[in-house]
Amino acid sequence: MATDIKQVLDSMEHALKLQIQANAERRSAQAAREEKEFKEKLMQAQANKMEIESMASGVKGAQEAVRRDQFMAMMLAGF
């Protein structure tokens, strides 16, 4: 009888350990997926930032060219 109870307890302990291990593995896998998604979003944000900075630089360069052309026109007109 005591042996039967010990076997049941051992079986329950083993099942609980397996369940805890499975939960830990699921949490670990979820954390890895979330980290990967975060890194991908971070890289996308960096790419977007670089694209916006490039566009801003192009606009700034175009504005400076217009100002330069206007200044040259004023100089040639005698202002």
Side-chain angles (χ1 to χ4, degrees):
M1 185 117 178
T3 305
D4 293 340
I5 293 174
K6 180 164 176 22
Q7 287 177 342
V8 168
L9 290 176
D10 287 345
S11 178
M12 289 174 62
E13 181 183 6
H14 181 69
L16 185 58
K17 285 180 181 179
L18 289 176
Q19 184 180 13
I20 291 170
Q21 182 180 357
N23 287 339
E25 289 173 359
R26 276 195 296 276
R27 284 192 302 272
S28 176
Q30 178 67 25
R33 281 191 301 275
E34 289 174 357
E35 180 181 13
K36 181 181 176 189
E37 290 172 5
F38 175 76
K39 286 180 179 180
E40 288 172 356
K41 287 179 183 180
L42 194 60
M43 289 176 59
Q44 184 61 43
Q46 183 64 27
N48 290 342
K49 179 183 174 192
M50 290 173 56
E51 182 179 357
I52 289 171
E53 287 174 348
S54 175
M55 291 171 63
S57 176
V59 168
K60 183 178 178 183
Q63 289 173 337
E64 289 175 358
V66 167
R67 286 191 198 111
R68 184 181 58 244
D69 292 345
Q70 290 174 340
F71 178 73
M72 292 299 286
M74 288 173 46
M75 296 275 295
L76 292 173
F79 285 100

